Amino acid sequence: MATAKPGLRSDVAQSRSERLRLLEAESEELPVPAALTLAVQQAMADMGGLGGLLHRRDTASGELRLVAVAGLGPGFTEAWVKLPEDDGTPPVRAARSGAAAWSTDGIGAHASGMASVPLLSPGGPIGALSVLMARPGPPDREQWSFLASVATWAAVRAGPAGLDTTSPDGSRRPPTTDRLDAAPFVPRSERTFRMGELTVALAEAVTSLDVVRAVQERVLPPFGADGMLVEVIEQGRLHILGSTGYSKEFLKEIEGVPLTIHTAATGVLYSRTPDFVESPEKFLQRYPELESLMIASAKKAWAMLPLIASGRPIGCCVISFDRERSFSEEQRTLLTALSGLVAQALERARLYDAEHARAQKLQRGLLPRTLPSLPAVSAGARYLPAGQSDEVGGDWYDVIPLSSDRVALVVGDVMGHGLTEAVTMARLRTAVRTLADLDIPPDELLAHLGDLVRDLGDDSYATCLYAEYDPVTQICVFSTAGHPPPLVVRSDGTVVRPEPAVDPPLGAADPPFGTHELHLPEGSLLVFCTDGLVESATRDIDEGLDQLGRSVSRAVTGSGRTSSGCLDELCDAVVSDLLPDRERTDDDAVLFVARTRSTPDADVASFSLSDGPQAAGEARRHVREQLARWDLPELEMTTELVVSELVGNVVRHASGPVRLRLLHSRTLICEVYDSSPTTPRIRRAASTDEGGRGLQLVAAVSRRWGTRFLPEGKCIWSEQALAS
């Protein structure tokens, strides 16, 4: 939607305010039907409409009945004279829901569509004001606001007996004054216009805090109020959802008050009737036991409005003033009507809050709760849900320990938003972990993952980056499917940005995937992200990646807001740099940082063995000598058993050359290399068999064991726990 220039927007707003003043002035002496017709004409003229309709709900039948029309002939209006309460037309939908409605279906009269807003009264919607649009598309925000303003004014004139300003004989009653005893004069037309803006703001409110913000910005100024409290009922108590103009001490006093205690707020909730208190004296007359609380509030007048939605109280809204004041009948009617509108908006928002909280909890439950600190890396991450999105996303990250102290680092993004995408993310993350256990190379892993995405359907796509880091060689091998490559930030702040050819996303790419290598000096940072962190409407992905590198570099060198020692602090600083206003983002974002460590040379021992039966004896001798150097005599017997069985299997079933490697880390790792692709497996040996139990013994004395395949053969490995 195009945005008007500030000066033009101001002129339009002034023009609409003048229309409302003209409407009030011209309708002063008119009977109700003529005044409502004039209101329809003003709404139609402002929106450039072909015609307008105003319907009033019949309390007996529930149907909407046409009471005013402008710009339309009898042939068209005949079909709109009576609308059943279960009809799907915009007027009925607006009157039923209390929110604006728009439709392009079956309108006729050569109109592009019909826009309808409810007529709101203290008891809920009593009808609807509708305009047939000539230009394509629904009204813009300002047009919706003006239409709601006219509807607010019309609701007072068309309201139930006792709420309009027309005497039973049809004559006009003298209008009550609008001047406030404790606030600058706000013309009724201006206040009505602002209330129309409130109607639109509440219709657009998504969260409970959005509703509170709309009340604060749109209700307090027109009435000259300086205080506001919005309280909601939760588990039999009143809890503060939002406030303005009250001290922290006072808020602590009233937070969590049980509904069983008699207070001003609980009183209006039980009676379901607004209470307008014009001075401290009148307050004490009604609530003498609340004198200390009244003094603490520092307020002198109050409009206490129960929030009733779906026939039940959900909370209370208090509008307060720092001076004594009176409330005119029109002001009381308007505030009461607005309380119903706020209640409906708040009920919708709280349902959204609960649903969104459940979805966010589900998504966070699918992500790692904590990132492990491994011998090869320590990691930190931040997941940021979209600030403006109503749904969860499919971004994820993971750290997966592999054999021989190697580690897999994964980041991915399922395209789209919603619960389906979150579930797809969970399936992919589970699949990655399963495939990683097979110790297959990154390009093969992405090929299998792509098959899974294609099986989900033609409209499923995901990006993924899978990297493996080996602390012995200090080499990181990665493959990427449509995902930005990692940045490397060295300990001196130097940024290396690899720019390999990126394969298409999973679901669109066919294998093989490219494989890329990075050599990482000690203490390097691998920085991963999803596009929501670095790409936006005002910043392309290359600019974002450059900014990401600069931000991490500042943090590493100490010139930023954090030192390089704490990855959590580093992540917070970088996120603040790249997403300073995260509430306005429309995509999920992940920042994932891993600091690499290398294995000291003294903790690695490698030996070449003979290609024959004597290899097992050589392996046992090397084990005894090396464990003595590492002062691990308690592991000598079990380690000799492990290497004897692993080397014996190679001699019997595989081919050389044979190599033994020992790693002293958080565990003792034994590796036996050969050039055969044959996979060893545990088999069930019968009681009469003389062999076949070697791998069972290895599994019994090891924390875990397995096989990984290499271009030149395979490696059989075993891990044993060190004595505590």
Side-chain angles (χ1 to χ4, degrees), residues 65 121 215 309 382 399 410 465 494 552 661 706 712:
R65 295 186 177 180
S121 76
V215 174
R382 288 295 179 270
V399 178
V410 194
L465 189 157
T494 303
V552 177
R661 189 171 76 163
E712 66 278 4

Side-chain angles (χ1 to χ4, degrees), residues 689-706:
D689 289 345
E690 295 182 1
R693 299 177 179 83
L695 291 181
Q696 293 182 15
L697 291 174
V698 171
V701 300
S702 303
R703 285 182 53 184
R704 59 178 190 148
W705 74 279

Side-chain angles (χ1 to χ4, degrees), residues 488-496 549-550 552-558:
V488 179
V489 182
R490 295 172 180 163
S491 56
D492 62 357
T494 303
V495 178
V496 178
R550 291 192 299 270
V552 177
S553 179
R554 284 196 302 271
V556 167
T557 56

Side-chain angles (χ1 to χ4, degrees), residues 43 50 75 109 198 242 288 449 493 658:
L50 299 175
L198 171 67
L449 207 61
V658 185

